Amino acid sequence: MAVATNLQIEDKLIDKAVKLGKHKTKKAAVTQALEDYIRRLEQEKITALFGSVVYEPEYDYKKQRARK
């Protein structure tokens, strides 16, 4: 669902985003920028979990890699 929004964005920024991203419209450039921003924030949440997983002491990760 699209919501009409009026934003004050510097013309230089939006023009550069449109040009570099080869977007046809300013809306397309802003939409892509927001999607990329959200994706990056979600990835940061995932990487924060690295090292926080506790494995069972009996778990043998090398066994999963063994060729049969």
Side-chain angles (χ1 to χ4, degrees), residues 2-10 14 27 30 34:
V3 177
T5 306
N6 292 324
L7 300 173
Q8 297 290 324
I9 301 174
E10 289 186 36
I14 195 77
K27 178 183 174 185
V30 172
L34 286 172

Side-chain angles (χ1 to χ4, degrees), residues 2 14 18 25-32:
I14 195 77
V18 169
T25 64
K26 291 178 181 181
K27 178 183 174 185
V30 172
T31 300
Q32 183 67 54

Side-chain angles (χ1 to χ4, degrees), residues 14-65:
I14 195 77
D15 291 342
K16 190 170 185 177
V18 169
K19 182 178 178 182
L20 289 173
K22 299 178 182 174
H23 299 286
K24 293 182 179 182
T25 64
K26 291 178 181 181
K27 178 183 174 185
V30 172
T31 300
Q32 183 67 54
L34 286 172
E35 288 172 351
D36 291 348
Y37 178 67
I38 291 166
R39 189 176 305 110
R40 184 175 61 84
L41 292 175
E42 288 174 339
Q43 287 173 347
E44 286 177 7
K45 286 172 45 178
I46 292 169
T47 58
L49 296 174
F50 282 106
S52 65
V53 176
V54 179
Y55 292 99
E56 293 291 324
E58 308 85 43
Y59 178 70
D60 182 8
Y61 69 93
K62 290 183 181 181
K63 184 177 180 181
Q64 298 290 328
R65 296 181 187 171

